[in-house]
Amino acid sequence: MVGLMDATEAVENRGWTLAHQRADVGFTVLHQRVQLDVDLALRKLKGSTEITISPHSAELKTLRLNCRQCDLNRLSINGKPSASMTYTDPYKQSRLGWNAGVNQHHMLQERLEGQLKVPPPEPELVINLPKSVRILELDQDTTLDRAGKASGDPMVVDVTQNTKPAIDQTTRFTPIIISVDFSIDEIRDGIQFVGCNSGDLQFPHAYSQNSLPGAACCLFPCLDAVDSRSTWEISFKCPRTIGDAFRRPTSLRSASTNETSGPDSQQAEAEQLPSLSDEEEALDLVVICSGDMTDEIIDPRDSSKKTTSFTCTTPVAPQHIGFAIGPFEHVDLAAFRESDEDDKLGQNAVPVHGFCLPGRADELKNTCLPSAKAIDFFTLTYGSYPFSSYKLCFLEDSMQDCVETASLSLCSTRLLFPEDIIEPLDRVTRQLVYTLACQWSGVNIIPKEPSDTWAVVGMAYFITDMFMRKLSGNNEYRYQQKRASDRVCGLDVARPSIYDTGKILWLEPSQAEFLALKSPLVLFILDRRLQKASGSSGFSRIISRVFLNAKVGDMVNGALNTANFQKTCERLGHAKLDVFFAQWVYGAGCPRFRVSQRFNKKRLVVEMLIQQVQGDAQSEVDIDPNTFMRDVKEDLQGIFAGAVQPAFTGPMTIRIHEADGTPYEHIVEIKEVMTKFDIPYNTKYKRLKRSRRQKERTTGPAIDFTAENHDDVLLYCLGDVLQTEEEVREWRLSEWSKEEEDKMSQESYEWIRMDADFEWICKMQLNQPGYMYLSQLQQDRDVVAQLESIQFMAASREHPLVSTIFIRTLMDSRYFHGIRTAAATALARLAKDEIGWVGLFHLEKAFQEFFCLPGSKMTRSNAFSDRASYYIQCAIPRAIAKIRDNSGKAPLTARKFLYEKLRYNDNSNNEFSDSHYLATLMNALAESISSAIPQQLEIFDIGANEGDELAFFHSCLEEIDRYRRIDEWIPSYHNILSTTALECKRRLMTSGGIPTRAADFLQYTQDGCYSDLRLTAFSCLVELGLTRNDHVLRWFLFVLGTDPSPYVRECMLHLFGKSLGLAAVGEISHPTTASAAPQPTALIIEQESSTQARQDDLARRKTISGALAALRTDLAANTTLQSSLWQAITSPALTLPQLGALLEICSLLYEPQTSILVTLNYPRYWQCRSSGRTTLPGTSKPSLLLKFSHTSRVRTKLVPKLPLRTAAVQQPPLPTPSLKRSGSSSSTATAPLRLSIKPPKKPGTPGLPQSAGMLAPATPSEGAKPKLTLKLNVKGASKAAGPGTPRG
């Protein structure tokens, strides 16, 4: 048992641990009250919340909560304001404040490291308790009494505890109430607004998107962890009608008008509001929420608004609180409950409500018809429903098909289908039943640790399949289980165990898909083994006990642990399950058996050897572009596959059908890699020849089933149609040869069936002859045995006799429809030239017999009232499309068959839609003609055959395009005809049949088309390699980052990862035209590539490191990818997980650079232009006006300083100083000296008018007189002067 091998150290270095568990925060949330005011028009939210917590100790000083994208307006603790807090909003840190690029991705990742790591995220709101808040210990007797009631002791359990407030159940210290007022102006996650923009024609509504931990805190502050469960009170304030939602009050309009710029702002506001008719404005808004509605009142201050309140008395996590607000229509699904079920349940019948947008009530009734029946089945079989009612609400643009919250399932409208649609019936029904089952196992019961997720998911799917068996029958149930087992055997290669998979569900959605596939199968084989070992009721009784333990409180916090789950299974199943859990839960992989058998006539025993070969060296497979991102993440995070188990152990039932037709069961214990044993033989009667039996059944009298002729008695068998000589000739059937009949007559038993009770998820290879598998196909009533026979014979060598067996299986309506469709698919392998195309003949003959006019190849009008017949009608064209000749081309007969069935399809008298059937024919025709592209020859080279081929090819293209044009005028269900037409074009472009044009797909990628049609168009662009075009790539990433639909963004993110995978492994298709294809007679020169090139190509296809190196080399210089990818990262429409995914892609492609790119504008040259002369105010002379402006010419080099030219600019003369004595002439000897400086006259600039003197060097203005004061001492003057003489 090896799960994630030695990866702990590498993983912890990245900031997260394998446990994924939140550290003890020091308190428990007991109750939370939330009040939300939702503004649909402005797409804003404001509200308040009160969180009642129970401290774990009196030393609690800090409270840590989750809160995102909220603006906190007020926070108080026990009514006292708290000023000491730290709030870090990751959405405000999701953008660098400078001109960064893809090489600075690590800087953004470091900012968001705490929130981008695996759930649960780090708390964003840290509150320090004020000193005035004291935590006191409550009375000990009261505490013990409450603790006893909350304990798992059945002697003191209070069965009414779930109806009491959580604060009265388990509190040791004084509870603390945290009150927060908040508002959200820019919503990016947690809630989705639909139809609130002018360009969105959908009905306005809003709903929560808190399906994962870390999303609920985007709506209100809380402790967002799956193990933080409390009771809830929730109230919503919203407009009463749609018209009230988009009709702003006068006061707000006037205030907005005064604050903004008048008409422009009003026009912009009007453009943002949707256009609604009078009937749409009058539709009432309905609030749907988890829990029970307590009241709905009109706001006394504003009659256009109402407040709806709900309570949830069952403790649930914040992620299990969901709501929706919109003009929903209500459908009472309990009205479809049958009368006998009403009598059984009486008052305990659970109300079931359905809600949908206007006009889709009929689709909701048809889609959810089994819901009431399913909830009654679960209640009677496994225990009471954990809530008081169940509600389903169907919404637009939902990211997931179903989101399970407490007593409410938020579903996508993609699941709805009308009565005339057949195809999605089984798939959608199972999905909705599973969503209901999650109310027991998934919402009420949660995994204690992420590694325990397999048990919770497995139980939900197990009880879902139990109901589907009751609804659809045992054959359908076992058929689907066998197909799921084969899928698990194919997928469970180099993967962790299902126990360890729970720890890495955050990596990729495909991890959850694999867990949902294998977990119920493991419980299915456990149920089979427990029923046989102990004779008990199997796993159903164990599930009932688990649900009961959660109800009465034996399961702490409703958390299920794998170890406790194993003990419960052992106690109720009366068997030790250590080995089973070690191999199937904690271990990885599936066994592969190779079985050989031989009958020993002397000892009258069957000698058998069972060998397990899963430990043999497996060939290294190529990297799958669809799972490239998952493989890369596992490689970078150090997540390794579980060790291959050399031997699986356990009991295996072997059933030998001996010569008298009696089955003898033998239980063998598999303990080692190689197991040998002998099985005793019991029958003394000889085996009756097959030809004699068939002749007696068809032409002879009835066989007398009496004791006297018991030697000739055989069991009744299937596939005995088309037995007359005329039918054999008409259908070109083959019979057993004389040698084969003699060999069959010598066999001592009919066939051997390994694992007859379906107790293993394995691949079985048994070396018994083909005629024994034929006996198993015809005489074993188990559909699993019949399917195994079909699979064995389909893989055998082509022979006309095998085609005869398959066509008789297809024509026998007593077979289960899955067996008949499998036989039709297998017939395609028998359409070979070596055996006369007998498989193709049988398929065409069967279609003509079932669906054409008698004696004609003209198809009858469709009639899909028989579902089994409908599946056969779809399976035959799919099989014919796969037929190829020795050169790899589809025969012209097959292509014409598909073309005629598509062209002459008639659905005028059918009560059901033929959209899916037409899509099947279109896909089949495109697959067939893409293998036989006609050569585009010159006119004088075209012969009769080539011209017919080319004309027929263009007729096929025109027929496919005709249905695409029809779908534009008369839309099909989910635009499936247009979607299929795009897929057909993509297939033909890949094969070179038609030129590659991006415009054929880009027109369907615009907003306004159906979401799945848009995604199909983008998928075709990716698979054709058109994303290498800069314009297509820019548009692709723009839609990924800005599309308002979270579903579209999530799917685009997956397509982006697929495009990187295609580029990494070198599978970006570069289609060649048909004219470029080499002629058969042309000379082809093959040039061997270098050894290093071959090694590099092998490395990029086989290893993650080689693929990443090649990817970086190919995309490093793509500046369009760099700029568009970073623009998508900085988009405000992305959710935090989507932002983290794009940052992770950046880390794969680009090296981090801790730098800031500073952008400076080049200096531009100035220009000067004259604007004429004018008289400036305060002047009398006219002045010349000059206008200076920048030119478009930029200066990229420094300009050296130019020397001044003296001839152009004349330096002014220096002022001349002069000394003079002041005073009269009589006293000049004693008068002080005065220095006077006279500035020279202002010279003009040569070559320029005087008015342009401003360009000359600066000189003092005319009115300014320079002053200079000097103190001079004259020698001898001081002595001659008197004491009162002043000094100069």
Side-chain angles (χ1 to χ4, degrees):
M1 182 194 67
V2 180
L4 309 180
M5 300 161 43
D6 302 332
T8 306
E9 181 178 359
V11 168
E12 287 179 349
N13 291 337
R14 294 183 176 269
W16 58 277
T17 61
L18 290 177
H20 301 349
Q21 290 298 294
R22 181 189 296 273
D24 184 18
V25 294
F27 61 88
T28 301
V29 178
L30 301 177
H31 183 73
Q32 184 162 357
R33 179 184 292 111
V34 179
Q35 297 178 354
L36 296 178
D37 188 349
V38 183
D39 191 336
L40 292 176
L42 301 179
R43 297 181 296 282
K44 295 183 179 181
L45 197 70
K46 63 180 180 180
S48 62
T49 182
E50 289 185 1
I51 308 175
T52 304
I53 66 171
S54 173
H56 294 170
S57 68
E59 304 300 325
L60 181 65
K61 302 298 181 182
T62 304
L63 305 178
R64 301 178 182 273
L65 299 175
N66 296 106
C67 182
R68 296 179 179 177
Q69 76 180 7
C70 298
D71 296 327
L72 303 183
N73 302 326
R74 187 182 65 87
L75 190 147
S76 62
I77 307 295
N78 287 347
K80 301 177 182 179
S82 175
S84 178
M85 71 170 184
T86 303
Y87 175 45
T88 304
D89 185 6
Y91 287 99
K92 293 183 179 179
Q93 293 186 326
S94 62
R95 190 166 186 172
L96 299 177
W98 56 87
N99 189 16
V102 291
N103 294 106
Q104 285 76 45
H105 62 268
H106 65 292
M107 305 174 73
L108 191 55
Q109 281 180 314
E110 291 174 358
R111 285 188 172 194
L112 306 175
E113 181 181 5
Q115 282 68 34
L116 290 179
K117 71 175 188 177
V118 296
E122 291 184 355
E124 297 86 5
L125 178 60
V126 180
I127 306 171
N128 297 322
L129 289 179
K131 295 183 179 180
S132 58
V133 176
R134 300 180 58 188
I135 302 176
L136 303 177
E137 188 171 2
L138 298 178
D139 182 67
Q140 187 175 5
D141 295 336
T142 305
T143 304
L144 291 176
D145 178 65
R146 289 170 177 164
K149 291 184 179 182
S151 67
D153 189 359
M155 299 300 296
V156 297
V157 69
D158 183 6
V159 296
T160 63
Q161 63 175 338
N162 286 338
T163 62
K164 296 181 179 181
I167 192 173
D168 294 334
Q169 295 181 22
T170 55
T171 51
R172 181 181 173 187
F173 296 92
T174 307
I176 298 176
I177 300 178
I178 308 169
S179 301
V180 183
D181 292 347
F182 60 91
S183 60
I184 308 176
D185 295 333
E186 298 179 0
I187 296 178
R188 294 181 59 173
D189 204 353
I191 185 173
Q192 175 68 17
F193 291 92
V194 181
C196 298
N197 292 328
S198 58
D200 197 341
L201 302 180
Q202 303 174 98
F203 284 99
H205 60 286
Y207 54 91
S208 61
Q209 287 189 316
N210 51 335
S211 58
L212 295 175
C217 60
C218 295
L219 298 177
F220 46 81
C222 60
L223 186 59
D224 200 353
V226 69
D227 56 351
S228 176
R229 294 153 63 92
S230 63
T231 56
W232 295 81
E233 294 182 33
I234 311 172
S235 63
F236 299 89
K237 186 177 182 181
C238 67
R240 289 194 306 112
T241 64
I242 295 181
D244 294 333
F246 296 96
R247 188 183 304 113
R248 301 186 65 188
T250 306
S251 59
L252 293 180
R253 289 200 301 266
S254 60
S256 176
T257 303
N258 294 333
E259 293 175 1
T260 56
S261 58
D264 295 338
S265 64
Q266 293 177 6
Q267 182 179 0
E269 179 184 348
E271 292 176 353
Q272 295 177 357
L273 299 180
S275 57
L276 302 170
S277 63
D278 295 338
E279 293 80 4
E280 292 172 342
E281 290 185 356
L283 293 175
D284 291 332
L285 290 178
V286 180
V287 181
I288 309 166
C289 182
S290 300
D292 303 321
M293 186 175 69
T294 56
D295 57 15
E296 184 178 46
I297 59 175
I298 303 299
D299 192 340
R301 298 181 179 179
D302 187 356
S303 60
S304 65
K305 293 187 176 183
K306 63 180 180 180
T307 302
T308 310
S309 302
F310 298 85
T311 59
C312 185
T313 56
T314 302
V316 294
Q319 73 180 70
H320 291 146
I321 295 295
F323 65 88
I325 303 174
F328 301 115
E329 294 183 2
H330 172 253
V331 176
D332 185 11
L333 297 175
F336 301 99
R337 183 178 281 126
E338 298 180 1
S339 58
D340 56 342
E341 295 176 350
D342 265 339
D343 298 337
K344 289 181 182 179
L345 296 170
Q347 296 181 353
N348 295 326
V350 179
V352 183
H353 306 280
F355 297 90
C356 64
L357 294 172
R360 312 200 69 171
D362 292 337
E363 296 181 27
L364 187 146
K365 294 176 183 178
N366 182 71
T367 306
C368 302
L369 187 63
S371 297
K373 188 179 184 68
I375 200 170
D376 295 340
F377 173 80
F378 292 154
T379 302
L380 294 174
T381 309
Y382 302 108
S384 60
Y385 181 64
F387 305 99
S388 59
S389 65
Y390 180 61
K391 302 176 285 291
L392 295 103
C393 185
F394 290 85
L395 309 156
E396 297 284 352
D397 292 340
S398 178
M399 185 183 302
Q400 297 174 322
D401 287 341
C402 293
V403 176
E404 301 84 18
T405 64
S407 74
L408 171 64
S409 294
L410 301 177
C411 308
S412 172
T413 53
R414 297 185 296 271
L415 299 180
L416 294 175
F417 60 94
E419 293 181 355
D420 61 345
I421 297 296
I422 301 176
E423 199 72 21
L425 178 61
D426 295 331
R427 173 181 56 85
V428 172
T429 300
R430 185 174 186 265
Q431 192 165 3
L432 292 180
V433 173
Y434 168 74
T435 303
L436 171 61
C438 288
Q439 298 296 318
W440 279 269
S441 181
V443 176
N444 190 46
I445 294 178
I446 60 174
K448 187 175 183 179
E449 295 184 3
S451 54
D452 303 318
T453 306
W454 76 271
V456 176
V457 173
M459 284 196 301
Y461 271 110
F462 182 85
I463 65 177
T464 298
D465 292 335
M466 290 295 104
F467 173 75
M468 294 302 296
R469 181 175 67 173
K470 178 182 179 182
L471 187 67
S472 303
N474 191 61
N475 282 345
E476 178 73 25
Y477 170 70
R478 291 182 63 84
Y479 174 75
Q480 295 297 339
Q481 294 296 95
K482 173 60 179 174
R483 294 184 60 188
S485 176
D486 293 341
R487 286 185 59 199
V488 168
C489 292
L491 293 175
D492 198 3
V493 179
R495 279 182 177 267
S497 65
I498 57 175
Y499 181 82
D500 292 325
T501 301
K503 306 172 185 177
I504 57 175
L505 291 177
W506 55 274
L507 268 181
E508 188 74 15
S510 60
Q511 300 286 0
E513 295 173 3
F514 175 75
L515 189 68
L517 183 65
K518 186 176 180 180
S519 297
L521 272 180
V522 171
L523 298 183
F524 168 75
I525 64 174
L526 175 62
D527 174 64
R528 304 296 298 171
R529 296 190 182 188
L530 290 179
Q531 287 185 10
K532 178 171 290 189
S534 61
S536 63
S537 57
F539 193 67
S540 295
R541 182 186 175 194
I542 296 172
I543 294 180
S544 301
R545 177 57 61 89
V546 172
F547 291 168
L548 180 62
N549 292 343
K551 178 181 179 181
V552 301
D554 288 349
M555 192 180 298
V556 179
N557 202 28
L560 181 64
N561 181 277
T562 300
N564 294 334
F565 179 69
Q566 178 182 344
K567 292 179 181 178
T568 304
C569 295
E570 292 175 343
R571 185 172 64 254
L572 298 179
H574 309 291
K576 295 297 292 182
L577 299 174
D578 293 335
V579 176
F580 180 88
F581 273 74
Q583 294 175 351
W584 296 102
V585 176
Y586 301 106
C590 296
R592 299 175 184 271
F593 294 108
R594 186 180 299 159
V595 184
S596 60
Q597 51 82 27
R598 186 178 69 89
F599 180 69
N600 192 324
K601 293 184 179 180
K602 293 183 179 180
R603 300 172 54 202
L604 289 179
V605 295
V606 180
E607 300 173 348
M608 301 197 70
L609 172 64
I610 301 178
Q611 185 179 3
Q612 301 189 42
V613 296
Q614 67 271 9
D616 295 351
Q618 299 287 338
S619 59
E620 194 173 7
V621 298
D622 292 346
I623 297 175
D624 185 5
N626 293 299
T627 60
F628 172 73
M629 291 305 300
R630 188 201 75 195
D631 297 336
V632 168
K633 292 176 183 178
E634 290 180 354
D635 185 75
L636 295 180
Q637 301 291 355
I639 297 173
F640 303 100
V644 178
Q645 303 180 66
F648 285 78
T649 61
M652 179 179 291
T653 301
I654 302 175
R655 183 179 300 156
I656 299 181
H657 293 255
E658 298 188 1
D660 63 345
T662 304
Y664 292 91
E665 289 190 355
H666 307 272
I667 300 177
V668 179
E669 192 71 25
I670 307 297
K671 296 182 179 179
E672 299 176 353
V673 176
M674 188 175 298
T675 304
K676 293 182 179 181
F677 54 89
D678 297 335
I679 297 178
Y681 189 71
N682 302 283
T683 304
K684 61 180 180 179
Y685 309 116
K686 294 182 180 179
R687 190 173 187 270
L688 196 62
K689 292 185 179 180
R690 189 172 305 272
S691 60
R692 175 184 168 188
R693 175 185 57 80
Q694 292 175 349
K695 189 176 300 184
E696 289 176 347
R697 289 184 54 82
T698 55
T699 62
I703 299 178
D704 184 13
F705 294 90
T706 60
E708 287 76 7
N709 59 356
H710 60 273
D711 289 352
D712 293 338
V713 172
L714 279 178
L715 294 179
Y716 176 78
C717 66
L718 301 172
D720 55 353
V721 297
L722 305 178
Q723 298 288 344
T724 65
E725 295 181 359
E726 181 182 355
E727 290 173 334
V728 169
R729 288 193 305 269
E730 182 183 356
W731 287 78
R732 293 167 52 183
L733 304 180
S734 301
E735 297 293 348
W736 299 98
S737 64
K738 183 70 168 56
E739 294 78 8
E740 291 170 333
E741 288 185 354
D742 293 341
K743 186 177 180 181
M744 293 163 56
S745 63
Q746 298 300 322
E747 294 290 349
S748 301
Y749 47 84
E750 290 277 347
W751 74 91
I752 297 178
R753 174 87 188 281
M754 304 297 297
D755 188 23
D757 286 341
F758 205 164
E759 302 170 84
W760 293 77
I761 306 172
C762 64
K763 281 289 185 182
M764 190 76 65
Q765 181 181 352
L766 178 62
N767 68 338
Q768 67 181 357
Y771 51 78
M772 290 190 177
Y773 277 106
L774 173 60
S775 299
Q776 178 175 314
L777 173 63
Q778 293 181 338
Q779 299 181 37
D780 201 322
R781 299 302 183 93
D782 187 5
V783 294
V784 176
Q786 297 168 3
L787 186 59
E788 290 174 350
S789 301
I790 294 288
Q791 292 171 346
F792 173 82
M793 288 186 285
S796 61
R797 185 175 60 88
E798 296 85 0
H799 195 277
L801 184 59
V802 180
S803 183
T804 299
I805 295 171
F806 286 158
I807 191 58
R808 283 174 170 161
T809 303
L810 176 60
M811 298 302 294
D812 194 346
S813 59
R814 294 171 296 178
Y815 277 108
F816 178 66
H817 69 81
I819 304 301
R820 300 173 67 190
T821 56
T825 303
L827 276 171
R829 294 192 66 257
L830 301 170
K832 298 295 182 182
D833 190 19
E834 294 78 6
I835 56 176
W837 300 103
V838 63
L840 175 58
F841 171 78
H842 283 160
L843 286 172
E844 292 182 348
K845 185 71 173 176
F847 193 93
Q848 180 181 352
E849 184 72 18
F850 283 135
F851 311 111
C852 294
L853 297 174
S856 171
K857 294 185 179 181
M858 180 60 64
T859 309
R860 295 196 306 262
S861 179
N862 294 329
F864 297 157
S865 56
D866 185 0
R867 287 182 60 199
S869 177
Y870 168 76
Y871 293 141
I872 300 298
Q873 191 170 353
C874 292
I876 293 178
R878 279 196 293 261
I880 293 178
K882 299 183 181 301
I883 296 176
R884 299 291 184 271
D885 58 16
N886 294 332
S887 62
K889 295 183 178 181
L892 181 60
T893 305
R895 285 176 279 156
K896 286 186 175 181
F897 173 87
L898 297 173
Y899 170 75
E900 291 172 357
K901 299 303 174 282
L902 180 62
R903 180 174 178 80
Y904 300 112
N905 176 71
D906 180 15
N907 203 61
S908 57
N909 298 324
N910 190 12
E911 60 179 339
F912 295 95
S913 171
D914 64 342
S915 56
H916 285 88
Y917 175 63
L918 286 173
T920 301
L921 292 177
M922 293 167 65
N923 274 323
L925 180 60
E927 182 180 359
S928 183
I929 64 176
S930 62
S931 66
I933 303 299
Q935 301 296 326
Q936 303 290 338
L937 303 176
E938 297 294 337
I939 297 178
F940 52 81
D941 290 335
I942 296 179
N945 294 334
E946 289 82 358
D948 294 342
E949 285 272 344
L950 190 58
F952 174 74
F953 180 78
H954 288 295
S955 298
C956 294
L957 297 181
E958 176 61 28
E959 194 64 26
I960 293 175
D961 195 63
R962 181 173 72 90
Y963 282 102
R964 180 192 62 82
R965 297 193 303 269
I966 290 176
D967 194 46
E968 293 180 355
W969 293 97
I970 308 175
S972 59
Y973 174 74
H974 287 181
N975 290 119
I976 188 173
L977 295 183
S978 296
T979 302
T980 306
L982 294 184
E983 288 287 352
C984 295
K985 282 189 176 182
R986 192 266 311 163
R987 188 188 298 271
L988 292 169
M989 289 178 182
T990 304
S991 61
I994 57 177
T996 302
R997 294 188 297 266
D1000 293 348
F1001 306 101
L1002 288 175
Q1003 59 179 329
Y1004 293 100
T1005 62
Q1006 300 179 7
D1007 192 14
C1009 295
Y1010 182 66
S1011 298
D1012 287 342
L1013 180 59
R1014 297 179 62 198
L1015 294 172
T1016 301
F1018 277 116
S1019 178
C1020 293
L1021 292 172
V1022 168
E1023 294 185 12
L1024 289 170
L1026 294 175
T1027 49
R1028 286 183 176 270
N1029 182 286
D1030 289 344
H1031 301 288
V1032 175
L1033 179 61
R1034 190 178 295 111
W1035 169 245
F1036 183 93
L1037 292 175
F1038 175 79
V1039 175
L1040 189 154
T1042 62
D1043 197 89
S1045 172
Y1047 170 71
V1048 172
R1049 293 199 306 268
E1050 195 69 21
C1051 293
M1052 291 289 291
L1053 189 61
H1054 175 73
L1055 287 177
F1056 187 43
K1058 182 179 179 179
S1059 67
L1060 295 178
L1062 290 170
V1065 301
E1067 290 187 3
I1068 291 292
S1069 59
H1070 298 284
T1072 58
T1073 59
S1075 59
Q1079 301 296 327
T1081 58
L1083 177 64
I1084 301 176
I1085 300 177
E1086 295 183 357
Q1087 182 178 1
E1088 293 187 359
S1089 58
S1090 64
T1091 304
Q1092 184 62 37
R1094 290 197 302 268
Q1095 291 178 351
D1096 294 342
D1097 182 71
L1098 185 64
R1100 75 185 302 174
R1101 290 180 176 274
K1102 301 290 185 181
T1103 64
I1104 294 297
S1105 58
L1108 286 178
L1111 186 65
R1112 294 190 186 102
T1113 303
D1114 293 344
L1115 302 180
N1118 193 331
T1119 56
T1120 302
L1121 175 62
Q1122 296 177 11
S1123 60
S1124 301
L1125 180 57
W1126 190 253
Q1127 187 177 3
I1129 288 175
T1130 57
S1131 171
L1134 290 181
T1135 64
L1136 205 59
Q1138 293 169 348
L1139 173 61
L1142 290 181
L1143 288 175
E1144 194 164 10
I1145 291 176
C1146 282
S1147 66
L1148 299 178
L1149 299 178
Y1150 306 106
E1151 293 294 333
Q1153 296 179 5
T1154 306
S1155 60
I1156 299 177
L1157 181 64
V1158 179
T1159 303
L1160 298 177
N1161 295 328
Y1162 282 119
R1164 296 180 180 272
Y1165 284 91
W1166 288 85
Q1167 64 181 359
C1168 176
R1169 292 183 179 180
S1170 175
S1171 299
R1173 293 179 176 273
T1174 184
T1175 302
L1176 299 177
T1179 61
S1180 59
K1181 296 181 179 180
S1183 301
L1184 179 65
L1185 295 182
L1186 299 179
K1187 183 179 180 181
F1188 292 87
S1189 62
H1190 282 110
T1191 65
S1192 60
R1193 182 185 174 192
V1194 296
R1195 180 180 296 170
T1196 58
K1197 295 181 180 179
L1198 295 177
V1199 179
K1201 293 183 178 180
L1202 298 176
L1204 295 177
R1205 292 181 298 177
T1206 57
V1209 180
Q1210 183 179 359
Q1211 295 292 336
L1214 296 176
T1216 303
S1218 61
L1219 291 174
K1220 292 183 179 181
R1221 292 186 181 274
S1222 61
S1224 61
S1225 59
S1226 59
S1227 59
T1228 56
T1230 60
L1233 293 175
R1234 298 284 185 182
L1235 177 64
S1236 63
I1237 299 176
K1238 292 184 177 180
K1241 293 184 179 181
K1242 183 178 180 181
T1245 302
L1248 290 176
Q1250 189 66 25
S1251 60
M1254 54 183 298
L1255 298 178
T1259 56
S1261 61
E1262 296 179 359
K1265 293 182 179 181
K1267 295 182 179 180
L1268 179 65
T1269 303
L1270 298 177
K1271 291 185 178 180
L1272 300 177
N1273 291 325
V1274 181
K1275 292 181 178 180
S1278 59
K1279 296 180 179 180
T1285 304
R1287 297 180 181 180

